[in-house]
Amino acid sequence: MTFLLRAGPLLTGLWLLPLFLWPVAALAQTPTTLTTPTTASTPAAAPGEARSSARTRAQRAPVPPRFDIELDAPDAVRDTLLRHMDLQRFRRLRSLDVNELNRLLLQAPDNLRNLLGTLGHFSPVIQVDPLQAPANDAGTDAARIDDDDDDDGAPPSLGTVRMRVDPGPQTRIASVQVIFQGEIATLPQAQAQREAIQAAAARRADQPFSQSEWDGAKNQALRQLTALRFPGGRISNSLADIDAANQRANLYIELDSGPLQRIGAIEVVGAERYDPAITERLARLSGLTPGTEYDLERLQAAQQRMAASGYFDAVFVYVEPTEQAAMLPVKVQLREARRQKLVLGVGASTDSGARVSIEHLHNRVPGIGWRARSELRLDQKDQIARTDWRSPVDPQGWQWLTEAQLSRLDDSLTRTTSQRLRWGQGQDGETLDRSVYLQYDRARVVQYLPFPLPEAAESSITANYAWARRRFDDPVSPRSGHGLAVELGAGTTLGTDRQPFARTQARWLGLWPLDGQDAASNRGRLALRLEGGAVVARDNAPVPETQLFLTGGDNTVRGYGLRDIGVPSPGGGVRAGRYKAVMSVEWQRPIWAENGQRSPWENVLFVDGGAVADRAGDLRPKWGVGTGLRYNSPVGPLQVDLAYGLETRELRLHLNVGFSF
């Protein structure tokens, strides 16, 4: 029998009145406890006993697996089934008993069948044996371990679950059809985009079907759609039509592009120290001009260009797609770099030994607004002091530059001290760099025979043009592509004997994948590098040593030390020459992990050769051969090479970090 008392406002107030009349001091001294009503037959536990029970419950050991699973299945599906089957969620359930486990076993075939479907197996044969209880645990099937049991002992094992799975043949993709809706379906300039999406989808035909492969096909099609012209595109419908009898899957993807969208105004957020016009100019130089069609690659290029400018520590360039606006504002969020920065460095290289350096950067010199970078670097062979000043880029991407350098280079038997001044303009682009400049050089060489034998200082002034183009698939860790750089200069020597001369230098690098479109191939790629240089002048022209050529070292001819290849001197050692030729062939092969996936490690086999002479007909290459390991890190390749110089018959270790061209 239940009694219900309904209290009106007055009665409620009377009930609350004693609380307000209770002495405040008494309330402060009386602890408030929340208790559960008890019956006369079940007395409440004493506080000490409750704490003991709670402590016992907290210290209870983890529950071991309540049952074992034996799965007889092919290796291709076994790990996936064991990892994702529903039974795994109940193995450590303390309250599980045999009746509940048998109920779960009735559902296990359907669960396994669904898992096999995600792997492309739609006609499996599955057998789940009845539960086999341990021989020493008779009667366990009638027992139930309660969650509230305070017994610290482990619950008994319920036995072993045995399952046999024959997945049957794997379904293969018969076709992938992409259907377009929206403006992409009729827009003439989007024809190449449509064909690229359809071609990428068609390449999945005859591949094994799986849920991950199906998701990959949809995601790839959507990425290709939203990367160009249609950032608001979406998948409006998709269907995987499975013919289990014939093990064929026909896939259908419907893409709704929405309206064509264009780049709008550039909105800069976070510009305080530096002029926002610099950011807008860099964005436009990357192709983000108002009115152009949306292109994700241009957004990424602008972001990378701003990050490389040195003005910012972090850059985020993005748009917010909306169907209501045909022009999308480009939002640029910045975290500006400090105006000045001082960097102290300690390092070492296999070319020039231990090194210490100090570098100062001023991003906005008062009065002119130029960036100034000054550096002092000291190592065992080279001591260099340099300062480089550059103006902000103009609307065409050009900037004024000036450079001053003092250096002392110590080789085996010679020491070269030099000074250099440079003034001109440069343009650094995503794939193309150009510069035009005047350069003054002065150099003095001292040969250390039994006694120092200094030579007269030689100087020159030249007008130069430098051009470099890069076409690599990745600027950090390229796997294919090529690059070409050319320098042309003409000038005259200075001093009492003034004679004209010309100087040219070129280098080329090509990367060729040997595996084509086969991602599982182990053939790797070939890297071919060629360099050449020439100084054209009369034999008696006093051309400065720094305008001539030496080679050898980590980045040129491995197996030889830095600048070890030159024109032999009568007293020993080498000196710089007027002609240079360098070549290198490198085979870069991936190292595969145990799971069959391509690892970031690669093995390298190479042959390098280089020669320096005063006459082109006297060029005689010195060869180096070797092997090495390369690790493709997020910041670029890290390479360790062991090379043997055929001329010196010595082994040398070479280290190289990063990729640059």
Side-chain angles (χ1 to χ4, degrees), residues 262-267 318-320 322 325 327-332:
R262 300 179 181 275
I263 297 297
I266 298 174
E267 302 176 358
Y318 65 99
V319 299
E320 294 179 348
T322 173
M327 304 286 285
L328 297 177
V330 178
K331 299 186 178 182
V332 182

Side-chain angles (χ1 to χ4, degrees), residues 1 31 36 53 103 105 138 145 155 157 170 188 228 264 324 337 474 483 486 574 594 652 654:
M1 184 178 295
T36 302
S53 176
R103 181 180 58 81
L105 294 183
I145 308 299
S157 173
Q170 187 174 19
L228 184 63
Q324 287 72 30
D474 187 337
V486 178
V574 296
E594 294 181 356
R652 292 186 67 93
H654 297 273

